[in-house]
Amino acid sequence: MTWQTSSGSSEPYSVYTGFIRQGETDHRQLRLVRLQNEMQVLLIHDVNSPASAMGLCLSVGSLHDTLDRPGLAHFCEHMVSGRRVNDTASTTFRETNYQASISHDALEDKIQRFASFLSRPVFPKHVIYEQVLSVQSEFQNYLQDDESRIADLDKYLSKSGDPWTAFDIGNWETLAASGKVPPSPASGKIDDSAEWVDTLRSKLQEWYSKYYCGNRMHLVIIGSHPIDELTFMATKYFSPVPAGTVGPRASAITFDSPWSADEEGTVVLVKTVKELREIEVRWIMPSQTLLYRVRPLNYLTHFLHHQGEGSLYRILRDRGWIDRLWASRCEGDRERGFETYHVAFTVTESGWHAWEAVVAALHKYISLVPDSIIKDPEFARAVQQELCSLSELQFRFRETLKPAAWDAPLVSATLAMLTPCKSRVTLKARESLKDVELRGTRVVMDAAAWSQTPWFNTEHIVLRYAGSNWPTYSSDDATVEGLHLFGPNPYVPKDFTVVGGKKDGVEPIPASWKIVETSLAKLWYKLDDRFGESKGSVTFDIKSDLEDTPRGELFDLILAKLLSDHISEDLASAAQCFLKCSFYCQSGGLFVTISGFSDKIPVLLEVVINKVVNFVVSPDSLQLAQDYVRRKLQNGFLGSPVDLAEGTLSYLLEEDATESATDKLGEMDAVNVSAIQERLSNIVKEVCILGLVHGNFTEKSARDMLQLVQEVLRCGNPTSTASEAISTRNYLLPEGCNFVYDAPVNNKADENSGLAWVCQIGEKTSASLRARLILFELIGGASIHDQLSAEALGYTFKITAHVGSTTIAFRVSIQSSTHSPAYLEQRLEPCLIEHVRQRLLDIQEDEFERTFKLPRARRLRRQPANVREEANMFWKCISAKDTKFNHDELVAQSIESLKRVDLLQFFDEYIDPRSRTRRKLSVHLRSARHAPPVTPSVNLRAFRSTLFPHNTLSKDMAYAQTNVC
């Protein structure tokens, strides 16, 4: 790399003088600098950015933990980040990452405070105690998460004593070294006088001094400030960070695998928390980092994700064995020169019994790839060209890139390492493990056969095939008949002609136009006048008048699965060409949105609509879909308590809330082929279409797409209900209410409890109320987060200005393993009076103006970053009947007019527990370890009827029709 030393600065630094490649439509100014302490900083000047941001990557992670303090790197991340609002942080095996989003005006202050901590860290004893409890709560959250449990198991089953087996999260036991369970602080008080606090603090300071050094840090700063000003901030504040004595991270040349021969060629059976049926095949591979010009494994991933004729997915799906297939490279240890590659299947019941055949088919398909690229150079060149074309599109579709290098021997040699005897097969299930057979013999699963991991207690059995006795296929085996590699992708765009685009001196119009309005359809259209790209977005919401009932909603779930499977081949091919398609079947209607390169959007739309309307339900596919939906509904009971509490809250407040999973499961006996086919016929029989065509399309193209949808649907006259297409409304809580719904957590093994607490504010259409809520969430939410975090009440905090269908509300959600929901609410309510209100009293008008009002108003007025984002903004307004597209502007104007006293009055009326007009509702979901309330729990539907005996609903959407200049 070429660097030039900059002169005339108090803090010396060097500027990279080489070429930094940017997309043709990327007009941001970039500068790469290297500070004296070897820290590299990428500076990005972006005048269109709605906010500033900062991200730091430190090449130190959990593999650098000390042997006596597993989880020390993760704990240090907690200490540095403090888990502040709008800040995120994460620790991986070899990296620790910090990110923050801030207003432009607050950027320098944020940089100064963060850099000051990195240079001269302070680790107060009470914060150490708080963050150890926070890490413990995070660990408790992971105990019921199958993905975390299995990832821990996969590492655990490595060579004995290998660093890869280390416990990387940490908990009270490893950090405090003071028993397995932390004491519960009483009344929010924390005792930081324990001896272990001093010991941990000393170890943390020593570890931090060794690893948190400039030569292992890479920093990115983005903001609207001039590039020289950003450079000044970075050099001034980050130069004092010590350079350190530990060398920078280096990529290994040798391959040091965490598996020995004993770990290869094994089959692992693992008990899951949720009811799953998954087969995963994993290999330890040499790191592909140094092979980035060829990227051999990308070829295999490209083939495996194909779902058309001859693909592995199609062959196994048509056999009724699998529901989903995915493949990916996964993080390993770059310094030891390895990574992992895995292929996973979600399988049906019959596929579970035939798991050996599924694995054998995978290996047969993998063997086709090197054979084809060696024996058929023409085919290999065609595949390489398609991958190169897609890479160019991904960067910026008209940017000239050097094609990826082609090295057939390297690709072939890499794929040849993916052999059965080098793999690990993991079978994941809860109830189905009892049916596993190995070479036709049922596996013995008595109590003595099971082992447990030390931290997650994940139950598992490790089996081994004798020698090379892995399942294989002969060339004439009928199971893989027709298996072959695929041809060209039909969704690769060819026409990049731009029909719109930004005109010099002309401001883009912040609105879309209604070009069709009939009893059958309303179509909105906007030609791109901002970006000048050959991209677009198309959305069609197809509504019917079918009534929402538990049976109807169950049928819609099954239909959604059936139809998604039916069009999955096209969606997978389109996704490889960066065509994003979302398809839903819900509330007795259909919803489809497609975005990406405009050339192929009409093609994909026609395929999707035709396949959906002409779909014929078969008994086999219905059985698979019904089984999938049943397991999905049953697993819903095992979600995290805080998510379930929030879902319960939504159910209580929405007029047309989704019926409970119990109600839907009770309708399973009504499912049959004719019933599901009739449901689909009724959905498309009498409909009203609401559409938006946006981007690189002419008006004629927009009308043609609507006509296509109407012709395929054979639209007749809709009923009045369908044509009105009334939005779902929210119930209004009565003034002065203080409702609590209490229930136990369904998963008895989950030690976490969840609280979802809400204060309803009023109608969504009120710009004045929304302005006050937005600012209160910004100021009061941060105060709540800091205080409850200081009391170590839990790890998961969600504090939001919630926008419902027709109302707005202030929500607080907490998940805790140490406290009951009742206790959490008992601490939350005083916090509102003692801390939040005091914060509102203490804030000065200039701070209120500079730090909160202006940045938030600016964010509401921010310009969209791309065509899809602009289309989403328009669709949000259209679906909410804000047909002037000006509600955000009205809210911004209202924010600018607010005074500090207005926010105080808002708090006193809508949030303060002492208010006689406050509308408050909370949901308590308690774990088995927390005592039940004095009064028994009541049925959820019965509780809702007591809340709203007269069905008090908010108004239907009717935004103010003020014109925007």
Side-chain angles (χ1 to χ4, degrees):
M1 298 179 72
T2 307
W3 299 90
Q4 179 178 341
T5 303
S6 177
S7 58
S9 173
S10 59
E11 299 291 348
Y13 66 94
S14 301
V15 179
Y16 176 66
T17 57
F19 175 66
I20 300 178
R21 187 169 58 208
Q22 294 177 251
E24 187 175 294
T25 58
D26 183 1
H27 302 299
R28 299 174 300 176
Q29 186 178 2
L30 277 60
R31 178 181 291 172
L32 179 63
V33 303
R34 184 177 62 196
L35 308 185
Q36 196 171 23
N37 57 13
E38 297 299 317
M39 182 189 299
Q40 293 190 18
V41 185
L42 178 62
L43 305 162
I44 304 174
H45 165 62
D46 185 359
V47 294
N48 295 319
S49 177
S52 295
M54 175 175 59
L56 177 77
C57 177
L58 172 73
S59 299
V60 173
S62 58
L63 291 176
H64 296 86
D65 287 342
T66 60
L67 295 177
D68 63 337
R69 286 293 187 277
L72 190 59
H74 180 215
F75 172 67
C76 185
E77 170 234 303
H78 274 247
M79 292 295 297
V80 173
S81 70
R83 296 289 163 175
R84 300 176 185 87
V85 177
N86 296 328
D87 290 8
T88 57
S90 61
T91 303
T92 62
F93 305 127
R94 288 285 183 184
E95 291 181 352
T96 304
N97 296 283
Y98 300 94
Q99 301 90 29
S101 175
I102 50 270
S103 65
H104 294 308
D105 295 335
L107 177 61
E108 183 169 7
D109 180 63
K110 179 70 175 181
I111 288 175
Q112 182 179 9
R113 286 186 286 111
F114 183 60
S116 177
F117 188 96
L118 292 178
S119 305
R120 297 175 297 279
V122 178
F123 301 124
K125 293 171 63 176
H126 73 281
V127 178
I128 286 179
Y129 198 113
E130 292 168 7
Q131 293 305 323
V132 170
L133 289 175
S134 179
V135 171
Q136 170 69 12
S137 294
E138 185 176 354
F139 169 66
Q140 291 287 143
N141 286 353
Y142 291 143
L143 286 177
Q144 297 300 309
D145 178 67
D146 283 318
E147 185 176 347
S148 300
R149 291 163 58 86
I150 294 170
D152 175 74
L153 171 65
D154 190 67
K155 291 175 55 187
Y156 173 72
L157 296 177
S158 298
K159 291 184 294 190
S160 178
D162 192 278
W164 194 245
T165 64
F167 177 48
D168 57 350
I169 298 172
N171 58 16
W172 175 271
E173 183 178 356
T174 66
L175 295 171
S178 178
K180 290 191 174 183
V181 181
S184 297
S187 303
K189 296 180 180 179
I190 288 178
D191 177 18
D192 59 6
S193 62
E195 182 180 347
W196 68 263
V197 177
D198 291 318
T199 303
L200 179 59
R201 184 170 184 264
S202 176
K203 289 184 177 292
L204 176 62
Q205 289 173 327
E206 180 182 356
W207 187 90
Y208 182 95
S209 299
K210 179 178 180 181
Y211 289 113
Y212 270 63
C213 43
N215 62 347
R216 281 183 170 251
M217 294 179 178
H218 291 79
L219 176 70
V220 177
I221 300 174
I222 182 171
S224 61
H225 307 69
I227 198 74
D228 290 336
E229 189 174 337
L230 292 175
T231 304
F232 173 79
M233 294 182 198
T235 56
K236 177 181 178 181
Y237 297 118
F238 284 99
S239 291
V241 174
T245 57
V246 178
R249 180 175 71 178
S251 296
I253 299 177
T254 59
F255 173 48
D256 180 16
S257 173
W259 292 359
S260 67
D262 293 335
E263 285 73 46
E264 296 173 339
T266 56
V267 179
V268 180
L269 314 183
V270 54
K271 286 185 181 179
T272 59
V273 174
K274 295 184 177 181
E275 181 51 67
L276 307 176
R277 282 195 298 260
E278 289 185 4
I279 303 171
E280 180 185 61
V281 186
R282 183 181 293 263
W283 295 266
I284 299 293
M285 297 290 289
S287 175
Q288 303 287 291
T289 303
L290 299 180
L291 306 177
Y292 66 93
R293 293 190 182 278
V294 180
R295 293 167 285 189
L297 287 176
N298 283 18
Y299 287 90
L300 178 59
T301 303
H302 186 64
F303 287 123
L304 287 171
H305 284 169
H306 175 54
Q307 296 187 6
E309 182 181 354
S311 68
L312 179 63
Y313 172 84
R314 172 70 74 85
I315 294 291
L316 297 180
R317 191 196 68 179
D318 289 350
R319 294 277 298 187
W321 285 353
I322 72 168
D323 179 64
R324 184 178 172 222
L325 180 159
W326 67 101
S328 68
R329 294 166 51 197
C330 299
E331 181 187 14
D333 188 345
R334 188 184 301 179
E335 293 187 14
R336 293 175 59 184
F338 75 84
E339 62 183 50
T340 64
Y341 187 77
H342 77 143
V343 182
F345 307 86
T346 300
V347 297
T348 64
E349 185 175 358
S350 59
W352 181 259
H353 293 298
W355 73 267
E356 290 173 293
V358 173
V359 173
L362 168 64
H363 289 296
K364 176 67 176 178
Y365 192 76
I366 291 175
S367 70
L368 294 178
V369 180
D371 287 348
S372 298
I373 62 178
I374 294 297
K375 296 177 180 178
D376 190 350
E378 196 65 35
F379 172 77
R381 279 192 292 272
V383 173
Q384 183 218 6
Q385 185 57 49
E386 182 170 302
L387 286 172
C388 289
S389 298
L390 295 177
S391 295
E392 292 174 12
L393 293 174
Q394 187 176 27
F395 184 69
R396 284 290 180 183
F397 67 94
R398 285 177 294 177
E399 176 69 13
T400 302
L401 297 177
K402 181 178 179 181
W406 173 246
D407 188 334
L410 177 60
V411 174
S412 182
T414 301
L415 300 186
M417 298 177 68
L418 301 173
T419 61
C421 60
K422 291 288 185 180
S423 70
R424 171 186 292 164
V425 178
T426 304
L427 306 181
K428 314 171 190 178
R430 188 174 70 169
E431 301 296 336
S432 302
L433 285 174
K434 63 181 182 295
D435 301 324
V436 171
E437 294 184 354
L438 189 68
R439 282 299 188 194
T441 302
R442 180 162 294 186
V443 178
V444 176
M445 296 185 188
D446 54 23
W450 294 95
S451 301
Q452 289 188 338
T453 56
W455 298 108
F456 285 81
N457 298 322
T458 306
E459 293 187 88
H460 62 281
I461 297 175
V462 180
L463 307 172
R464 174 177 291 279
Y465 272 99
S468 59
N469 193 26
W470 277 86
T472 56
Y473 276 126
S474 61
S475 59
D476 60 348
D477 196 302
T479 303
V480 291
E481 183 179 350
L483 197 64
H484 61 80
L485 302 183
F486 60 91
N489 191 322
Y491 295 104
V492 175
K494 306 295 184 184
D495 185 358
F496 300 109
T497 304
V498 176
V499 297
K502 182 174 176 59
K503 298 178 180 179
D504 293 338
V506 179
E507 285 297 314
I509 300 173
S512 185
W513 313 108
K514 190 190 300 181
I515 60 173
V516 174
E517 182 170 17
T518 68
S519 61
L520 297 175
K522 296 177 183 177
L523 179 65
W524 297 79
Y525 166 73
K526 167 87 182 291
L527 175 66
D528 172 41
D529 60 356
R530 186 183 301 274
F531 301 102
E533 298 180 352
S534 58
K535 294 183 179 179
S537 177
V538 171
T539 300
F540 286 102
D541 190 3
I542 303 166
K543 297 178 179 291
S544 73
D545 65 341
L546 295 180
E547 183 181 357
D548 282 331
T549 63
R551 179 174 297 184
E553 292 186 4
L554 173 65
F555 286 6
D556 286 347
L557 287 174
I558 293 173
L559 266 176
K561 176 60 179 169
L562 287 166
L563 295 173
S564 296
D565 288 347
H566 187 53
I567 62 177
S568 64
E569 173 187 337
D570 293 279
L571 298 193
S573 297
Q576 289 183 327
C577 301
F578 313 107
L579 273 180
K580 180 179 177 63
C581 178
S582 297
F583 173 81
Y584 306 103
C585 178
Q586 59 187 14
S587 302
L590 303 173
F591 179 88
V592 59
T593 180
I594 306 173
S595 60
F597 293 97
S598 55
D599 179 30
K600 297 297 181 177
I601 287 180
V603 177
L604 182 59
L605 176 66
E606 182 175 6
V607 169
V608 169
I609 295 297
N610 269 295
K611 284 193 171 184
V612 167
V613 172
N614 298 310
F615 177 69
V616 177
V617 182
S618 70
D620 291 341
S621 63
L622 177 58
Q623 182 180 354
L624 298 179
Q626 186 176 4
D627 178 61
Y628 170 86
V629 171
R630 179 186 289 108
R631 283 186 288 113
K632 182 179 180 180
L633 291 173
Q634 291 171 341
N635 285 335
F637 295 121
L638 302 176
S640 70
V642 71
D643 290 339
L644 291 173
E646 290 181 327
T648 302
L649 202 62
S650 297
Y651 171 81
L652 291 172
L653 293 176
E654 287 186 9
E655 176 192 12
D656 296 325
T658 300
E659 297 292 342
S660 70
T662 302
D663 294 330
K664 293 171 190 169
L665 287 168
E667 297 289 343
M668 278 291 179
D669 290 342
V671 175
N672 56 64
V673 170
S674 60
I676 299 298
Q677 192 73 59
E678 182 182 4
R679 178 72 176 183
L680 177 60
S681 299
N682 289 335
I683 287 176
V684 300
K685 184 189 302 181
E686 296 176 340
V687 298
C688 176
I689 301 173
L690 186 65
L692 168 67
V693 176
H694 177 81
N696 192 50
F697 302 104
T698 63
E699 182 176 333
K700 181 180 182 303
S701 297
R703 292 177 181 274
D704 288 346
M705 281 187 272
L706 173 62
Q707 183 178 352
L708 163 70
V709 173
Q710 290 180 309
E711 289 177 352
V712 174
L713 291 173
R714 296 181 292 276
C715 289
N717 291 322
T719 64
S720 59
T721 305
S723 59
E724 289 171 7
I726 298 175
S727 302
T728 298
R729 294 175 292 178
N730 293 124
Y731 287 108
L732 272 176
L733 292 165
E735 289 187 350
C737 70
N738 186 27
F739 294 124
V740 176
Y741 175 76
D742 181 276
V745 172
N746 286 300
N747 184 1
K748 304 303 180 184
D750 196 335
E751 296 185 355
N752 294 290
S753 292
L755 166 69
W757 176 100
V758 66
C759 279
Q760 234 176 15
I761 305 303
E763 300 290 343
K764 178 180 175 179
T765 53
S766 171
S768 175
L769 282 180
R770 285 193 70 177
R772 287 161 169 77
L773 177 60
I774 287 170
L775 289 185
F776 178 76
E777 185 265 339
L778 192 63
I779 302 171
S783 182
I784 293 171
H785 183 278
D786 292 345
Q787 182 58 31
L788 299 187
S789 296
E791 295 185 22
L793 294 182
Y795 171 71
T796 302
F797 293 94
K798 301 178 184 178
I799 304 171
T800 58
H802 179 75
V803 180
S805 300
T806 52
T807 62
I808 55 175
F810 181 66
R811 280 193 178 189
V812 179
S813 302
I814 309 173
Q815 182 163 297
S816 176
S817 60
T818 55
H819 299 291
S820 70
Y823 179 82
L824 296 175
E825 185 163 347
Q826 289 171 10
R827 296 305 307 151
L828 172 61
E829 296 273 320
C831 173
L832 295 172
I833 301 172
E834 299 168 8
H835 298 280
V836 176
R837 195 176 194 281
Q838 190 60 46
R839 170 62 174 146
L840 296 176
L841 286 170
D842 293 341
I843 194 170
Q844 299 298 310
E845 285 290 353
D846 62 335
E847 180 188 2
F848 184 61
E849 181 88 14
R850 173 176 50 84
T851 307
F852 301 109
K853 284 176 51 178
L854 295 181
R856 191 56 57 166
R858 187 186 300 125
R859 176 167 293 191
L860 284 167
R861 293 188 174 109
R862 71 180 182 88
Q863 302 302 311
N866 50 57
V867 171
R868 184 172 63 195
E869 186 175 306
E870 186 174 43
N872 289 340
M873 292 169 58
F874 288 148
W875 181 255
K876 182 179 72 172
C877 295
I878 292 169
S879 59
K881 302 183 180 178
D882 175 17
T883 55
K884 291 291 184 179
F885 304 97
N886 67 342
H887 190 64
D888 284 350
E889 173 60 29
L890 297 178
V891 174
Q893 292 174 9
S894 185
I895 285 177
E896 291 172 333
S897 68
L898 289 176
K899 301 296 183 183
R900 181 181 61 86
V901 67
D902 297 324
L903 213 56
L904 196 60
Q905 292 172 352
F906 171 86
F907 173 84
D908 290 341
E909 180 177 356
Y910 295 103
I911 308 295
D912 195 320
R914 299 165 296 189
S915 171
R916 294 186 177 183
T917 56
R918 186 177 80 151
R919 297 183 173 100
K920 175 258 162 185
L921 167 66
S922 61
V923 173
H924 296 184
L925 295 186
R926 352 169 223 96
S927 67
R929 67 182 297 183
H930 296 131
V934 177
T935 57
S937 300
V938 297
N939 176 271
L940 185 59
R941 184 179 285 106
F943 181 80
R944 186 165 84 161
S945 66
T946 63
L947 290 182
F948 312 107
H950 305 296
N951 290 338
T952 308
L953 288 164
S954 63
K955 300 174 184 177
D956 193 16
M957 303 309 295
Y959 281 88
Q961 299 298 298
T962 305
N963 291 324
V964 180
C965 298

